[in-house]
């Protein structure tokens, strides 16, 4: 018996109306998401590093860290950088001596450097922990 092309499950999606478009859309969506996440990570790295430098400069001049990131404006930075993952200003904890982004999981975990279950055996890095944390040393 001859195999009919319209019955072959591996070919059928390509023969459906707009089959090529649907497959292209699925593949491109993944690529675009990865590119945007990479861009957000780069922007987060820049914002976190700028804040680390500004906070250390403030501490050197005043003998202590500021109570808020807004205290850095305008003498140390023009404005408080936005967290690319949240769309709100970067977060800060004077007591923990950290600046952080909510990171890729899009949840504010209070500056947590704990790695989720699947990554517990890995060395913690900024992008596998609950939040993307920048320490002020």
């Amino acid at each position: 018996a001859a195999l009919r092309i319209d019955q072959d499950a591996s070919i059928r999606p390509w023969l459906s109306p707009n089959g090529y478009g649907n497959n292209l859309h699925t593949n491109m969506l993944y690529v675009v998401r990865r590119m945007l996440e990479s861009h957000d990570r780069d922007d987060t790295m820049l914002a976190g590093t700028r804040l680390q430098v500004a906070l250390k400069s403030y501490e050197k001049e005043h003998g202590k860290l500021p109570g808020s990131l807004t205290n850095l404006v305008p003498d140390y930075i023009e404005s408080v950088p936005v967290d690319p993952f949240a769309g709100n200003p970067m977060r800060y904890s004077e007591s923990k001596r950290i600046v952080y982004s909510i990171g890729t999981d899009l949840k504010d975990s209070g500056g947590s450097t704990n790695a989720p279950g699947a990554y517990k055996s890995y060395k913690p890095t900024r992008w596998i922990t609950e939040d993307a944390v920048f320490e002020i040393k």
Side-chain angles (χ1 to χ4, degrees):
L3 177 66
R4 288 183 37 175
I5 291 177
D6 63 337
Q7 293 176 338
D8 185 351
S10 65
I11 297 173
R12 194 173 313 125
W14 292 98
L15 298 177
S16 67
N18 202 18
Y20 287 109
N22 288 335
N23 283 296
L24 180 62
H25 175 263
T26 300
N27 292 325
M28 289 303 296
L29 191 59
Y30 173 78
V31 170
V32 169
R33 281 184 183 155
R34 298 298 295 178
M35 288 173 42
L36 290 173
E37 183 178 308
S38 177
H39 182 266
D40 288 347
R41 284 182 181 192
D42 291 346
D43 286 352
T44 301
M45 291 293 293
L46 181 59
T49 302
R50 287 180 60 224
L51 285 170
Q52 283 176 310
V53 171
L55 286 161
K56 284 302 289 182
S57 297
Y58 183 100
E59 183 179 40
K60 185 174 182 177
E61 188 173 322
H62 297 276
K64 63 179 183 160
L65 290 173
S68 168
L69 292 177
T70 57
N71 295 0
L72 299 172
V73 179
D75 296 332
Y76 300 92
I77 54 176
E78 289 181 20
S79 62
V80 177
V82 171
D83 178 350
F85 291 99
N88 300 321
M90 293 283 284
R91 287 147 172 86
Y92 167 64
S93 171
E94 178 184 5
S95 61
K96 292 181 182 179
R97 297 183 60 88
I98 60 169
V99 175
Y100 68 97
S101 160
I102 63 170
T104 57
D105 69 356
L106 307 178
K107 296 179 198 166
D108 185 350
S109 300
S112 171
T113 55
N114 293 325
Y119 296 104
K120 291 206 184 286
S121 62
Y122 289 84
K123 178 182 177 193
T125 68
R126 187 168 284 124
W127 302 113
I128 65 170
T129 56
E130 292 176 323
D131 292 322
V133 177
F134 299 81
E135 294 180 25
I136 304 151
K137 296 180 180 183

